[in-house]
Amino acid sequence: MTDEVERARARERAADMLADAGVVLTDEERDEMEVVDYGLGDLESVGTEIVVYVNDDRYCAKELVLFPDQTCPEHRHPPFDDYPGKRETFRCRSGEVYLYVEGDGDDSESSDEWSVSPPMREEFYTASEEIHLEPGEQYTIPPDTRHWFKAGGDGAVISEFSSPSYDEKDVFTDPKIDRMAGRY
Amino acid sequence: MTDEVERARARERAADMLADAGVVLTDEERDEMEVVDYGLGDLESVGTEIVVYVNDDRYCAKELVLFPDQTCPEHRHPPFDDYPGKRETFRCRSGEVYLYVEGDGDDSESSDEWSVSPPMREEFYTASEEIHLEPGEQYTIPPDTRHWFKAGGDGAVISEFSSPSYDEKDVFTDPKIDRMAGRY
Ligand SMILES: [Zn+2]
Ligand SMILES: [Zn+2]
């Protein structure tokens, strides 16, 4: 478990990275920043720091912060009820991001060719098409498509624009992961 | 008419303001930046510089740049067909913004109390509730609600998160305005 002291420290560190990228937050946004360890208890290697600007029934916008070499683990956003599943656009603001997305069936790119390695529990990283994002570059992920991403050695700030987020509906490849762990 | 030389100059100036706010653009985004004079031919006072990151059938994200004291004139985003009308969230990134939104019926705030004045053709500025936005502050405008906004003396950079944009459907209060003027 990531304890409250570590979470507070992570918030401060992420807020500093956002400030360096020119992103101004209100005090309330800083205090309410989500620190997600996905229930694995190793925030430094598997985690995401998230500021949600807006998430309503029509659209969603967030900033995602990744510490150096931190990974957001593999997941997909499935359809449910009348909702076709979340589509999301990642725009790199600072640092660099290695994004891996499910390929068109043949999974031609082998993990031998990846620029970075999954953080742990490698068997649960299967999306293999590598997309490298530098500041100003962006990529859109269709609904129900497996993806994971890892920051380069300086960390990364990523703006996410999307259809509404229903985090509790996300499906992670690693069955040990609990997206809602540590929420309060 | 705003000629091509003036448009190119406006793009460069807006790109500099974005860079100062920490926003990195690709060369293509810089070249394709929209310079809107609303057909009034006085870009410095009535205009908006726009970088569209994504605009699909589910969501839209843009950066809006306003030069010092530049105004985006009054308009609303009406529903049409099956579309309930555009909802939009403005987040101030740099500078300051004076946003005026249609009140709850009684239009209690008189224009005497506004912090800034409409640029010209004042009779077409009727939304009267003033919202002042500084960096890190944001406001969401419901569909079909009249609004206009003006930058402070240092200009402003505004991130817009919204449902899909159909600019050609926007309804401006001033009948002389042509949103699509000068598009190419
Ligand atoms: Zn995702
Ligand atoms: Zn609008």
Side-chain angles (χ1 to χ4, degrees), chain A residues 64 72-77 86-88 90 99 141-142 145-149 160 170 172:
Chain A
L64 309 178
C72 173
E74 184 171 295
H75 63 282
R76 60 188 168 86
H77 306 286
K86 184 189 183 200
R87 181 191 293 165
E88 58 193 15
F90 291 140
L99 170 64
I141 298 162
T145 302
R146 280 174 284 121
H147 57 284
W148 61 280
F149 48 101
E160 182 189 304
D170 294 350
F172 285 82

Side-chain angles (χ1 to χ4, degrees), chain B residues 91-144:
Chain B
R91 183 177 179 89
C92 179
R93 296 291 192 172
S94 71
E96 54 182 337
V97 182
Y98 295 91
L99 170 64
Y100 295 86
V101 178
E102 190 181 334
D104 316 335
D106 66 346
D107 270 358
S108 50
E109 235 171 312
S110 137
S111 59
D112 300 346
E113 295 162 46
W114 293 351
S115 301
V116 296
S117 304
M120 52 162 79
R121 298 171 66 78
E122 302 209 0
E123 63 272 36
F124 302 115
Y125 291 80
T126 67
S128 63
E129 202 170 307
E130 180 176 297
I131 293 130
H132 181 234
L133 297 178
E134 296 192 342
E137 297 178 329
Q138 63 182 49
Y139 191 84
T140 295
I141 298 164
D144 212 20

Side-chain angles (χ1 to χ4, degrees), chain A residues 53 56 58 85 87 91 138, chain B residues 29 53 56 58 85 138:
Chain A
Y53 291 144
D56 58 32
R58 302 191 62 188
R87 181 191 293 165
R91 183 176 178 89
Q138 64 182 49
Chain B
E29 287 168 335
Y53 291 144
D56 59 32
R58 301 192 62 187
Q138 63 182 49

Side-chain angles (χ1 to χ4, degrees), chain B residues 1-178:
Chain B
M1 259 314 279
T2 304
D3 67 21
E4 207 33 61
V5 173
E6 195 178 345
R7 281 177 198 279
R9 212 158 31 202
R11 273 185 205 102
E12 221 170 296
R13 191 175 167 198
D16 286 347
M17 288 177 62
L18 286 163
D20 286 344
V23 176
V24 180
L25 300 180
T26 61
D27 291 343
E28 201 189 338
E29 287 168 335
R30 197 166 324 180
D31 292 344
E32 292 181 357
M33 187 189 299
E34 214 181 328
V35 175
V36 185
D37 76 351
Y38 302 96
L40 298 182
D42 186 2
L43 182 69
E44 284 294 310
S45 56
V46 185
T48 319
E49 293 68 44
I50 306 173
V51 178
V52 181
Y53 291 144
V54 56
N55 183 27
D56 59 32
D57 59 317
R58 301 192 62 187
Y59 54 86
C60 176
K62 307 175 178 181
E63 305 289 359
L64 310 178
V65 178
L66 293 179
F67 296 142
D69 303 311
Q70 197 181 33
T71 296
C72 172
E74 184 171 295
H75 63 282
R76 60 188 168 87
H77 305 287
F80 59 90
D81 302 334
D82 289 337
Y83 189 67
K86 183 189 183 203
R87 182 192 292 164
E88 60 193 15
T89 300
F90 291 140
R91 183 177 179 89
C92 179
R93 296 291 192 172
S94 71
E96 54 182 337
V97 182
Y98 295 91
L99 170 64
Y100 295 86
V101 178
E102 190 181 334
D104 316 335
D106 66 346
D107 270 358
S108 50
E109 235 171 312
S110 137
S111 59
D112 300 346
E113 295 162 46
W114 293 351
S115 301
V116 296
S117 304
M120 52 162 79
R121 298 171 66 78
E122 302 209 0
E123 63 272 36
F124 302 115
Y125 291 80
T126 67
S128 63
E129 202 170 307
E130 180 176 297
I131 293 130
H132 181 234
L133 297 178
E134 296 192 342
E137 297 178 329
Q138 63 182 49
Y139 191 84
T140 295
I141 298 164
D144 212 20
T145 302
R146 280 174 285 122
H147 57 283
W148 60 280
F149 47 102
K150 182 171 181 170
D154 294 324
V157 171
I158 303 161
S159 294
E160 181 188 304
F161 316 121
S162 73
S163 58
S165 287
Y166 298 90
D167 299 333
E168 71 284 3
K169 301 283 189 182
D170 294 350
V171 176
F172 286 82
T173 306
D174 183 346
K176 206 179 149 192
I177 284 180
D178 176 5

